[in-house]
Amino acid sequence: SSIDDPAASSDPFLFGLLADQAGVDFEARIVDVPAGHVGEGLAAIGEEIIVDSLAGAIVRLRVTCGSRIAVMTALLDNLPSPRALAFIEDTAMWLAGSVACESFDDGVRLRVELPCAS
């Protein structure tokens, strides 16, 4: 498991540890995570994506936050399970955000947008 950005290893999320336990090939780039509900929501969604992935899967996560919006982009081998997708959509909806899924190369790109308090 590798993290392509040194700052990501000090992020508030335990994604790398979870990925190691799940046997998932994982990379993350995590920048400027907001405190509070938005940060917690992003952490919960990222954890769900990793835990839901099959051992040996490749997961690439990118989190970027501006003053108005937080965006998590996940590049995955496969669509998350229906249960995981429901959890992700419910979490995003609870935080007045959105989830979009599309085919990307040989896999799937999942994009979650959450509004930040400005």
mmCIF file of all heavy atoms in Angstrom, residues 23-26 49 53-60 74-80 102-110:
data_model
loop_
_atom_site.group_PDB
_atom_site.id
_atom_site.type_symbol
_atom_site.label_atom_id
_atom_site.label_comp_id
_atom_site.label_asym_id
_atom_site.label_seq_id
_atom_site.Cartn_x
_atom_site.Cartn_y
_atom_site.Cartn_z
ATOM 1 N N GLY A 23 -6.149 -5.634 2.546
ATOM 2 C CA GLY A 23 -5.368 -6.150 1.431
ATOM 3 C C GLY A 23 -5.622 -5.406 0.134
ATOM 4 O O GLY A 23 -5.525 -5.953 -0.954
ATOM 5 N N VAL A 24 -5.955 -4.123 0.259
ATOM 6 C CA VAL A 24 -6.280 -3.287 -0.897
ATOM 7 C C VAL A 24 -5.062 -2.446 -1.278
ATOM 8 O O VAL A 24 -4.395 -1.895 -0.415
ATOM 9 C CB VAL A 24 -7.486 -2.376 -0.563
ATOM 10 C CG1 VAL A 24 -7.731 -1.358 -1.659
ATOM 11 C CG2 VAL A 24 -8.732 -3.209 -0.310
ATOM 12 N N ASP A 25 -4.762 -2.373 -2.581
ATOM 13 C CA ASP A 25 -3.698 -1.505 -3.094
ATOM 14 C C ASP A 25 -4.260 -0.086 -3.100
ATOM 15 O O ASP A 25 -5.210 0.199 -3.827
ATOM 16 C CB ASP A 25 -3.302 -1.963 -4.493
ATOM 17 C CG ASP A 25 -2.216 -1.082 -5.102
ATOM 18 O OD1 ASP A 25 -1.666 -0.215 -4.397
ATOM 19 O OD2 ASP A 25 -1.921 -1.259 -6.292
ATOM 20 N N PHE A 26 -3.679 0.794 -2.292
ATOM 21 C CA PHE A 26 -4.308 2.072 -2.013
ATOM 22 C C PHE A 26 -3.341 3.236 -2.188
ATOM 23 O O PHE A 26 -2.199 3.159 -1.789
ATOM 24 C CB PHE A 26 -4.806 2.028 -0.559
ATOM 25 C CG PHE A 26 -5.371 3.309 -0.059
ATOM 26 C CD1 PHE A 26 -6.612 3.741 -0.466
ATOM 27 C CD2 PHE A 26 -4.644 4.101 0.829
ATOM 28 C CE1 PHE A 26 -7.133 4.935 -0.001
ATOM 29 C CE2 PHE A 26 -5.164 5.295 1.297
ATOM 30 C CZ PHE A 26 -6.417 5.704 0.882
ATOM 31 N N ILE A 49 -15.655 2.890 1.265
ATOM 32 C CA ILE A 49 -15.131 2.500 -0.054
ATOM 33 C C ILE A 49 -14.018 1.460 0.108
ATOM 34 O O ILE A 49 -13.991 0.442 -0.591
ATOM 35 C CB ILE A 49 -14.602 3.743 -0.810
ATOM 36 C CG1 ILE A 49 -15.783 4.607 -1.274
ATOM 37 C CG2 ILE A 49 -13.728 3.333 -2.003
ATOM 38 C CD1 ILE A 49 -15.380 5.980 -1.784
ATOM 39 N N SER A 53 -14.089 -2.766 -0.723
ATOM 40 C CA SER A 53 -13.289 -3.256 -1.852
ATOM 41 C C SER A 53 -12.751 -4.661 -1.573
ATOM 42 O O SER A 53 -12.445 -5.002 -0.433
ATOM 43 C CB SER A 53 -12.113 -2.310 -2.115
ATOM 44 O OG SER A 53 -12.590 -1.037 -2.479
ATOM 45 N N LEU A 54 -12.644 -5.456 -2.614
ATOM 46 C CA LEU A 54 -12.120 -6.806 -2.474
ATOM 47 C C LEU A 54 -10.610 -6.779 -2.298
ATOM 48 O O LEU A 54 -9.938 -5.881 -2.811
ATOM 49 C CB LEU A 54 -12.473 -7.631 -3.712
ATOM 50 C CG LEU A 54 -13.960 -7.815 -3.993
ATOM 51 C CD1 LEU A 54 -14.166 -8.501 -5.341
ATOM 52 C CD2 LEU A 54 -14.635 -8.605 -2.877
ATOM 53 N N ALA A 55 -10.082 -7.751 -1.601
ATOM 54 C CA ALA A 55 -8.626 -7.860 -1.449
ATOM 55 C C ALA A 55 -7.992 -7.893 -2.833
ATOM 56 O O ALA A 55 -8.502 -8.553 -3.739
ATOM 57 C CB ALA A 55 -8.270 -9.117 -0.663
ATOM 58 N N GLY A 56 -6.910 -7.160 -3.010
ATOM 59 C CA GLY A 56 -6.245 -7.087 -4.305
ATOM 60 C C GLY A 56 -6.767 -5.983 -5.204
ATOM 61 O O GLY A 56 -6.189 -5.701 -6.247
ATOM 62 N N ALA A 57 -7.864 -5.344 -4.794
ATOM 63 C CA ALA A 57 -8.425 -4.243 -5.591
ATOM 64 C C ALA A 57 -7.504 -3.032 -5.509
ATOM 65 O O ALA A 57 -6.700 -2.902 -4.592
ATOM 66 C CB ALA A 57 -9.817 -3.878 -5.087
ATOM 67 N N ILE A 58 -7.629 -2.155 -6.487
ATOM 68 C CA ILE A 58 -6.869 -0.910 -6.508
ATOM 69 C C ILE A 58 -7.837 0.240 -6.200
ATOM 70 O O ILE A 58 -8.876 0.369 -6.862
ATOM 71 C CB ILE A 58 -6.202 -0.689 -7.884
ATOM 72 C CG1 ILE A 58 -5.236 -1.836 -8.190
ATOM 73 C CG2 ILE A 58 -5.495 0.657 -7.925
ATOM 74 C CD1 ILE A 58 -4.686 -1.811 -9.603
ATOM 75 N N VAL A 59 -7.502 1.029 -5.200
ATOM 76 C CA VAL A 59 -8.333 2.176 -4.819
ATOM 77 C C VAL A 59 -7.456 3.418 -4.815
ATOM 78 O O VAL A 59 -6.417 3.452 -4.169
ATOM 79 C CB VAL A 59 -8.955 1.976 -3.412
ATOM 80 C CG1 VAL A 59 -9.730 3.217 -2.991
ATOM 81 C CG2 VAL A 59 -9.855 0.748 -3.380
ATOM 82 N N ARG A 60 -7.861 4.426 -5.566
ATOM 83 C CA ARG A 60 -7.165 5.709 -5.578
ATOM 84 C C ARG A 60 -8.150 6.759 -5.075
ATOM 85 O O ARG A 60 -9.213 6.925 -5.653
ATOM 86 C CB ARG A 60 -6.735 6.089 -7.000
ATOM 87 C CG ARG A 60 -5.932 5.019 -7.727
ATOM 88 C CD ARG A 60 -4.485 5.033 -7.281
ATOM 89 N NE ARG A 60 -3.737 3.974 -7.922
ATOM 90 C CZ ARG A 60 -3.471 2.789 -7.376
ATOM 91 N NH1 ARG A 60 -3.909 2.496 -6.172
ATOM 92 N NH2 ARG A 60 -2.768 1.885 -8.019
ATOM 93 N N ALA A 74 -12.888 8.974 -6.145
ATOM 94 C CA ALA A 74 -12.356 7.623 -5.948
ATOM 95 C C ALA A 74 -12.304 6.922 -7.291
ATOM 96 O O ALA A 74 -13.303 6.876 -8.007
ATOM 97 C CB ALA A 74 -13.233 6.836 -4.982
ATOM 98 N N LEU A 75 -11.121 6.416 -7.673
ATOM 99 C CA LEU A 75 -10.989 5.585 -8.862
ATOM 100 C C LEU A 75 -10.944 4.145 -8.386
ATOM 101 O O LEU A 75 -10.084 3.773 -7.583
ATOM 102 C CB LEU A 75 -9.722 5.948 -9.638
ATOM 103 C CG LEU A 75 -9.660 7.385 -10.156
ATOM 104 C CD1 LEU A 75 -8.346 7.629 -10.891
ATOM 105 C CD2 LEU A 75 -10.830 7.691 -11.061
ATOM 106 N N LEU A 76 -11.870 3.336 -8.859
ATOM 107 C CA LEU A 76 -12.065 1.976 -8.363
ATOM 108 C C LEU A 76 -12.078 0.978 -9.508
ATOM 109 O O LEU A 76 -12.419 1.318 -10.635
ATOM 110 C CB LEU A 76 -13.406 1.881 -7.613
ATOM 111 C CG LEU A 76 -13.648 2.944 -6.538
ATOM 112 C CD1 LEU A 76 -15.108 2.929 -6.101
ATOM 113 C CD2 LEU A 76 -12.730 2.712 -5.368
ATOM 114 N N ASP A 77 -11.741 -0.273 -9.188
ATOM 115 C CA ASP A 77 -11.826 -1.344 -10.187
ATOM 116 C C ASP A 77 -13.273 -1.631 -10.566
ATOM 117 O O ASP A 77 -13.583 -1.923 -11.704
ATOM 118 C CB ASP A 77 -11.209 -2.647 -9.642
ATOM 119 C CG ASP A 77 -9.709 -2.529 -9.419
ATOM 120 O OD1 ASP A 77 -9.095 -1.612 -9.977
ATOM 121 O OD2 ASP A 77 -9.163 -3.367 -8.681
ATOM 122 N N ASN A 78 -14.150 -1.593 -9.571
ATOM 123 C CA ASN A 78 -15.557 -1.938 -9.772
ATOM 124 C C ASN A 78 -16.453 -0.974 -9.019
ATOM 125 O O ASN A 78 -16.007 -0.296 -8.095
ATOM 126 C CB ASN A 78 -15.839 -3.350 -9.226
ATOM 127 C CG ASN A 78 -15.022 -4.405 -9.928
ATOM 128 O OD1 ASN A 78 -15.154 -4.607 -11.117
ATOM 129 N ND2 ASN A 78 -14.149 -5.060 -9.171
ATOM 130 N N LEU A 79 -17.725 -0.979 -9.400
ATOM 131 C CA LEU A 79 -18.721 -0.207 -8.679
ATOM 132 C C LEU A 79 -18.806 -0.738 -7.249
ATOM 133 O O LEU A 79 -18.740 -1.946 -7.044
ATOM 134 C CB LEU A 79 -20.070 -0.385 -9.379
ATOM 135 C CG LEU A 79 -21.185 0.583 -9.046
ATOM 136 C CD1 LEU A 79 -20.791 2.006 -9.438
ATOM 137 C CD2 LEU A 79 -22.462 0.177 -9.765
ATOM 138 N N PRO A 80 -18.928 0.147 -6.253
ATOM 139 C CA PRO A 80 -19.119 -0.353 -4.887
ATOM 140 C C PRO A 80 -20.387 -1.213 -4.807
ATOM 141 O O PRO A 80 -21.280 -1.093 -5.639
ATOM 142 C CB PRO A 80 -19.290 0.934 -4.059
ATOM 143 C CG PRO A 80 -18.622 1.995 -4.863
ATOM 144 C CD PRO A 80 -18.846 1.610 -6.297
ATOM 145 N N GLU A 102 -19.350 7.198 -12.788
ATOM 146 C CA GLU A 102 -19.219 7.049 -14.239
ATOM 147 C C GLU A 102 -18.113 6.060 -14.561
ATOM 148 O O GLU A 102 -17.199 5.838 -13.763
ATOM 149 C CB GLU A 102 -18.923 8.403 -14.893
ATOM 150 C CG GLU A 102 -17.601 9.015 -14.457
ATOM 151 C CD GLU A 102 -17.376 10.414 -15.024
ATOM 152 O OE1 GLU A 102 -18.257 10.942 -15.706
ATOM 153 O OE2 GLU A 102 -16.303 10.969 -14.771
ATOM 154 N N SER A 103 -18.214 5.452 -15.736
ATOM 155 C CA SER A 103 -17.143 4.566 -16.192
ATOM 156 C C SER A 103 -15.898 5.398 -16.441
ATOM 157 O O SER A 103 -15.981 6.535 -16.905
ATOM 158 C CB SER A 103 -17.543 3.867 -17.485
ATOM 159 O OG SER A 103 -18.640 3.028 -17.245
ATOM 160 N N PHE A 104 -14.734 4.818 -16.132
ATOM 161 C CA PHE A 104 -13.474 5.529 -16.317
ATOM 162 C C PHE A 104 -12.402 4.501 -16.618
ATOM 163 O O PHE A 104 -12.146 3.618 -15.799
ATOM 164 C CB PHE A 104 -13.129 6.328 -15.053
ATOM 165 C CG PHE A 104 -11.872 7.121 -15.168
ATOM 166 C CD1 PHE A 104 -11.858 8.325 -15.849
ATOM 167 C CD2 PHE A 104 -10.694 6.657 -14.598
ATOM 168 C CE1 PHE A 104 -10.684 9.063 -15.962
ATOM 169 C CE2 PHE A 104 -9.518 7.389 -14.704
ATOM 170 C CZ PHE A 104 -9.521 8.595 -15.393
ATOM 171 N N ASP A 105 -11.757 4.589 -17.781
ATOM 172 C CA ASP A 105 -10.796 3.574 -18.223
ATOM 173 C C ASP A 105 -11.426 2.191 -18.058
ATOM 174 O O ASP A 105 -12.478 1.949 -18.603
ATOM 175 C CB ASP A 105 -9.467 3.692 -17.464
ATOM 176 C CG ASP A 105 -8.686 4.939 -17.856
ATOM 177 O OD1 ASP A 105 -8.957 5.492 -18.938
ATOM 178 O OD2 ASP A 105 -7.818 5.366 -17.084
ATOM 179 N N ASP A 106 -10.780 1.313 -17.278
ATOM 180 C CA ASP A 106 -11.337 -0.026 -17.079
ATOM 181 C C ASP A 106 -12.116 -0.137 -15.779
ATOM 182 O O ASP A 106 -12.462 -1.238 -15.355
ATOM 183 C CB ASP A 106 -10.209 -1.073 -17.061
ATOM 184 C CG ASP A 106 -9.549 -1.210 -18.424
ATOM 185 O OD1 ASP A 106 -10.225 -0.936 -19.433
ATOM 186 O OD2 ASP A 106 -8.366 -1.573 -18.467
ATOM 187 N N GLY A 107 -12.387 0.989 -15.136
ATOM 188 C CA GLY A 107 -13.041 0.932 -13.843
ATOM 189 C C GLY A 107 -14.143 1.957 -13.698
ATOM 190 O O GLY A 107 -14.861 2.251 -14.649
ATOM 191 N N VAL A 108 -14.236 2.496 -12.497
ATOM 192 C CA VAL A 108 -15.314 3.412 -12.145
ATOM 193 C C VAL A 108 -14.730 4.622 -11.421
ATOM 194 O O VAL A 108 -13.809 4.483 -10.621
ATOM 195 C CB VAL A 108 -16.314 2.693 -11.192
ATOM 196 C CG1 VAL A 108 -17.364 3.654 -10.675
ATOM 197 C CG2 VAL A 108 -16.959 1.511 -11.885
ATOM 198 N N ARG A 109 -15.281 5.793 -11.741
ATOM 199 C CA ARG A 109 -14.922 6.991 -10.981
ATOM 200 C C ARG A 109 -16.151 7.397 -10.181
ATOM 201 O O ARG A 109 -17.226 7.598 -10.728
ATOM 202 C CB ARG A 109 -14.498 8.137 -11.893
ATOM 203 C CG ARG A 109 -14.203 9.386 -11.071
ATOM 204 C CD ARG A 109 -13.538 10.531 -11.802
ATOM 205 N NE ARG A 109 -13.981 10.679 -13.164
ATOM 206 C CZ ARG A 109 -13.226 11.222 -14.135
ATOM 207 N NH1 ARG A 109 -12.009 11.631 -13.889
ATOM 208 N NH2 ARG A 109 -13.703 11.337 -15.351
ATOM 209 N N LEU A 110 -15.956 7.497 -8.862
ATOM 210 C CA LEU A 110 -17.015 7.912 -7.952
ATOM 211 C C LEU A 110 -16.630 9.292 -7.443
ATOM 212 O O LEU A 110 -15.517 9.486 -6.945
ATOM 213 C CB LEU A 110 -17.099 6.914 -6.794
ATOM 214 C CG LEU A 110 -18.162 7.148 -5.728
ATOM 215 C CD1 LEU A 110 -19.547 6.849 -6.299
ATOM 216 C CD2 LEU A 110 -17.894 6.238 -4.532
#
